[in-house]
Amino acid sequence: MARPRPSVVVLAVAVAVASLAQPGAADLKQDYYASTCPNVEAIVRGVVQQRLQATIRAVGSTVRLFFHDCFVEGCDGSVLIESTPGNQAEKDASDNKSLASEGFDTVRSAKAAVEAACPDTVSCADVLAIAARDAISMSGGPFFPVELGRLDGLISTASSVPGQLPEANQTMDQLLAVFKAHGLNMSDLVALSAAHSVGLAHCSKFASRLYSYQLPGQPTDPTLNPKYARFLESRCPDGGPDNLVLMDQATPAQFDNQYYRNLQDGGGLLGSDQLLYTDNRTRPMVDSLANSTAAFYRALADAVVRLGRVGVKSGRRGNVRKQCDVFN
C-alpha cells in the first residue's frame, strides 16, 4: 500500500547547483522569454493540464519524450520531427517506436498555443522542456524552475539513435557509461529512473526476466518478488501478445518515490530498474529517496535540470521551428 505523500512543494533550483557541462548550456536562463513571450509557461501549463485531464498516459509519454530527445543529439526537439521519403527521423528508430502518441500530441498542441501568442519566438525544445516539468509536477512530483533558451536542432536521423539511450537489459557499468557520455552521473541515473513511476511498458521489455533468465534451471530473475513475478506472468503469458503493463502498480498515476519502495520489495519492472537496488553502488541512494519525499524532490529536480542542459543548440547550430514535426 502506498504511503501518504505531502502536497507538492516548489523547489528553488539555482543555476549554480551544477556546472554547465555542455556547449550552449551557458545560454540558458529561467527568464529567457521575459520580454518576448512572458506568458509562455502559463500557456504550456494550460495545455498540459488539459491533456492530463483527457488521459493519464500524457504524463509518462511527455516526460519520456523529453528524456529521449535529450539523450540523442541533445535537448533540441529532434525527436519530434516526422520522417520524409528522403529521411528516416529519430522518432522512427527502433528504440523510439514505443514513444506514445500522447506525448507528441501534448507538445504539438502546446506549441500551437504558444505560436498563437508569440509567433516565431519559442523553440519546440523549450516547449517540450516546460511540458515535461509540468507533467511531473501535475502528477505529484516537484515543481521547479526550467532553464530556457534552447534552439531546435537542424537534423534528425534514426541512425543517430542506437547506443545513445539506456536499455532495460544493460549492466550497471553500461548504464553509467551511457549517462557519463551525456555529462550525467550516477545520481542522475537513480533520480531520472523515477520516470518509471508512471507510464507503461511492453511485455517484450521484461519478458526475459520471467521466462529466459540466464541461470541454469531458473527461468525467472531471482531478484523479482515471486508474487510480482506471478502477476506479470498473468499479464504477459510466454509467447503471448506484447501487452502493456503499468510500470508502478501501487501508484500508477503519481510521479512519486513509491518507485524506490517498489525496488526495495523486488518490484522493479525492468531489469535496469531492479538493478538500482541490487547494485551496491546505487542501493544507498535508492534507500534514501525511498525514505524521504523531500530528498526525492531535490534529486529529481536537480537531475531534470542537468538533463535539460545536454547538447543545447545555439547560434547557427539551431533555429526556432514554426511547427515541431517539420523543419523550417
Side-chain angles (χ1 to χ4, degrees), residues 8-13 29-31 33 38-49 52 58-67 70 106-107 110 124-148 150 192 195 198 255 297 300-308:
V8 175
V9 298
V10 176
L11 297 179
V13 180
K29 53 184 179 179
Q30 295 172 15
D31 61 350
Y33 297 108
N39 295 323
V40 59
E41 293 195 44
I43 294 171
V44 174
R45 188 177 303 118
V47 173
V48 173
Q49 186 171 29
L52 264 61
V59 177
S61 59
T62 302
V63 174
R64 190 165 176 237
L65 193 60
F66 177 62
F67 285 17
C70 293
T106 298
V107 176
C124 297
D126 277 348
V127 170
L128 175 54
I130 298 169
R133 186 276 311 276
D134 290 341
I136 290 172
S137 65
M138 289 181 185
S139 57
F143 182 92
F144 49 92
V146 175
E147 297 174 339
L148 302 170
R150 302 166 187 80
L192 293 174
V198 293
F255 205 115
Y297 279 175
L300 178 64
D302 183 55
V304 174
V305 169
R306 284 169 54 83
L307 176 62

Side-chain angles (χ1 to χ4, degrees), residues 190-265:
V190 177
L192 293 174
S193 293
H196 292 169
S197 68
V198 293
L200 304 101
H202 285 277
C203 295
S204 57
K205 291 295 184 180
F206 56 86
S208 62
R209 301 186 69 203
L210 300 173
Y211 303 112
S212 57
Y213 192 74
Q214 298 175 356
L215 283 179
Q218 187 171 13
T220 304
D221 185 343
T223 66
L224 262 176
N225 181 301
K227 184 177 180 180
Y228 186 47
R230 301 295 83 77
F231 167 79
L232 294 177
E233 288 170 354
S234 71
R235 295 295 188 273
C236 302
D238 192 12
D242 197 14
N243 296 325
L244 285 167
V245 176
L246 289 168
M247 301 198 77
D248 180 354
Q249 297 293 328
T251 57
Q254 291 291 315
F255 205 115
D256 59 13
N257 61 342
Q258 178 64 38
Y259 167 77
Y260 300 104
R261 293 194 286 273
N262 292 342
L263 302 185
Q264 291 174 321
D265 192 41

Side-chain angles (χ1 to χ4, degrees), residues 9-318:
V9 298
V10 176
L11 297 179
V13 180
V15 174
V17 166
S19 61
L20 299 177
Q22 298 287 337
D27 298 313
L28 300 178
K29 53 184 179 179
Q30 295 172 15
D31 61 350
Y32 186 85
Y33 297 108
S35 61
T36 57
C37 193
N39 295 323
V40 59
E41 293 195 44
I43 294 171
V44 174
R45 188 177 303 118
V47 173
V48 173
Q49 186 171 29
Q50 291 176 350
R51 299 300 300 175
L52 264 61
Q53 289 173 343
T55 171
I56 191 59
R57 290 193 65 179
V59 177
S61 59
T62 302
V63 174
R64 190 165 176 237
L65 193 60
F66 177 62
F67 285 17
H68 279 234
D69 184 44
C70 293
F71 270 94
V72 181
E73 300 294 343
C75 308
D76 64 353
S78 53
V79 75
L80 303 170
I81 292 291
E82 292 283 351
S83 294
T84 64
N87 177 63
Q88 186 181 30
E90 279 180 35
K91 69 177 295 186
D92 289 320
S94 59
D95 287 343
N96 283 334
K97 285 288 190 179
S98 61
L99 291 173
S101 62
E102 288 84 356
F104 292 100
D105 292 343
T106 298
V107 176
R108 189 181 301 114
S109 298
K111 171 64 171 176
V114 171
E115 280 295 306
C118 314
D120 305 313
T121 302
V122 182
S123 68
C124 297
D126 277 348
V127 170
L128 175 54
I130 298 169
R133 186 276 311 276
D134 290 341
I136 290 172
S137 65
M138 289 181 185
S139 57
F143 182 92
F144 49 92
V146 175
E147 297 174 339
L148 302 170
R150 302 166 187 80
L151 290 180
D152 294 322
L154 305 178
I155 60 172
S156 177
T157 60
S159 61
S160 64
V161 177
Q164 297 302 307
L165 293 162
E167 301 285 351
N169 61 350
Q170 286 180 322
T171 66
M172 179 59 70
D173 287 341
Q174 289 171 328
L175 290 169
L176 290 173
V178 170
F179 274 69
K180 183 178 180 181
H182 295 84
L184 302 171
N185 58 34
M186 186 168 66
S187 295
D188 297 320
L189 165 62
V190 177
L192 293 174
S193 293
H196 292 169
S197 68
V198 293
L200 304 101
H202 285 277
C203 295
S204 57
K205 291 295 184 180
F206 56 86
S208 62
R209 301 186 69 203
L210 300 173
Y211 303 112
S212 57
Y213 192 74
Q214 298 175 356
L215 283 179
Q218 187 171 13
T220 304
D221 185 343
T223 66
L224 262 176
N225 181 301
K227 184 177 180 180
Y228 186 47
R230 301 295 83 77
F231 167 79
L232 294 177
E233 288 170 354
S234 71
R235 295 295 188 273
C236 302
D238 192 12
D242 197 14
N243 296 325
L244 285 167
V245 176
L246 289 168
M247 301 198 77
D248 180 354
Q249 297 293 328
T251 57
Q254 291 291 315
F255 205 115
D256 59 13
N257 61 342
Q258 178 64 38
Y259 167 77
Y260 300 104
R261 293 194 286 273
N262 292 342
L263 302 185
Q264 291 174 321
D265 192 41
L269 183 61
L270 305 181
S272 56
D273 291 323
Q274 197 57 46
L275 188 59
L276 297 179
Y277 193 68
T278 57
D279 193 289
N280 290 331
R281 288 169 288 182
T282 47
R283 182 184 295 182
M285 186 172 178
V286 169
D287 288 333
S288 175
L289 301 187
N291 294 331
S292 171
T293 297
F296 164 61
Y297 279 175
R298 288 192 298 269
L300 178 64
D302 183 55
V304 174
V305 169
R306 284 169 54 83
L307 176 62
R309 295 169 178 166
V310 174
V312 171
K313 305 299 188 296
S314 60
R316 295 182 179 179
R317 299 176 65 231

